[in-house]
Amino acid sequence: NLPAAFKTTLPSGVPVLVRHVGPADGPRLKDGFKLISSLARRCHFPGDEVTELGAEQLKALESVDQKSYCIWGALNPAKTDEPGIGIGRDRRIEQEPSPADVAITILDQYQGTGAGLLLHACLHYTAAHNKIRHFYYDVSGENQRFIRHLEHLGAEYKGRVLGLTRLRMPVYARALAVPQYSAAGFKFSQAMRRVS
């Protein structure tokens, strides 16, 4: 399994500290949420015009156990004034032992740096260790780029509701298991190698 915190470098050259996120990170997440795009906010709260995280969302951090509810965060240690680079989280679906819902959020200025791939790789390794076998993603229909990206990684379309496309992907325990017939698959397998 991965350590609770480790340092690495993104393909773009940005240094990162990757670590577990918990209740003490509430203020940091609240500040970061104000900086993400309106599209990203709609992905997390479809149908609602949420501009900041409230007490209810922050209280959910108390149930983070890094097993049934796991959150990884990435920070740029060279920029202590920033709330962070992004987070990736998975939460086991109640009444179902093997799948979990996934969401990944990256601040706009770090889009395209490889930060999302890095956090996604962390989620796969941790989920495999915790015996989670499948991930579900609810992606805004506006975000066709991410939908295609997930499909290149082996995700299958499972339906659409409230403007969200639901996809299901196997959890990968190692880089060699990732489909590498596309550039997206190759980059993700490289991210998994970097994390391991």
Side-chain angles (χ1 to χ4, degrees):
N1 196 20
L2 299 178
F6 61 92
K7 291 181 178 179
T8 186
T9 304
L10 297 178
S12 60
V14 175
V16 288
L17 168 65
V18 182
R19 65 170 175 81
H20 287 161
V21 171
D25 294 300
R28 187 184 290 274
L29 294 183
K30 192 170 183 176
D31 289 344
F33 189 79
K34 293 175 184 174
L35 299 176
I36 65 175
S37 67
S38 57
L39 171 59
R41 290 190 194 124
R42 288 197 301 276
C43 291
H44 291 291
F45 300 99
D48 297 322
E49 207 44 60
V50 177
T51 56
E52 67 176 44
L53 293 178
E56 185 179 336
Q57 287 88 28
L58 295 174
K59 187 172 175 57
L61 290 172
E62 294 174 11
S63 61
V64 173
D65 59 5
Q66 304 304 344
K67 292 178 182 175
S68 293
Y69 187 9
C70 175
I71 306 180
W72 285 99
L75 307 165
N76 184 341
K79 296 195 175 182
T80 55
D81 57 320
E82 291 182 350
I85 292 172
I87 62 167
R89 66 110 180 120
D90 69 64
R91 193 169 200 170
R92 198 183 293 268
I93 298 171
E94 290 182 21
Q95 287 102 32
E96 294 186 53
S98 65
D101 281 317
V102 172
I104 299 168
T105 305
I106 304 298
L107 293 189
D108 291 0
Q109 66 263 39
Y110 288 101
Q111 295 284 342
T113 62
L117 289 173
L118 182 72
L119 291 171
H120 200 187
C122 291
L123 292 176
H124 275 263
Y125 277 124
T126 306
H129 178 77
N130 292 328
K131 297 182 170 50
I132 292 171
R133 299 292 174 244
H134 291 92
F135 279 157
Y136 283 95
Y137 305 78
D138 291 318
V139 185
S140 167
E142 298 174 63
N143 199 347
Q144 287 298 313
R145 184 170 164 269
F146 190 52
I147 290 171
R148 286 193 300 273
H149 170 77
L150 292 176
E151 288 172 339
H152 285 307
L153 300 185
E156 298 176 339
Y157 175 82
K158 286 295 174 183
R160 187 171 165 84
V161 64
L162 295 175
L164 296 176
T165 298
R166 190 156 177 83
L167 299 116
R168 180 177 185 259
M169 182 197 295
V171 167
Y172 299 118
R174 56 199 179 96
L176 283 174
V178 178
Q180 296 181 44
Y181 55 82
S182 68
F186 179 74
K187 286 180 181 177
F188 185 56
S189 68
Q190 291 295 97
M192 291 194 72
R193 288 186 179 92
R194 193 175 302 113
V195 167
S196 66

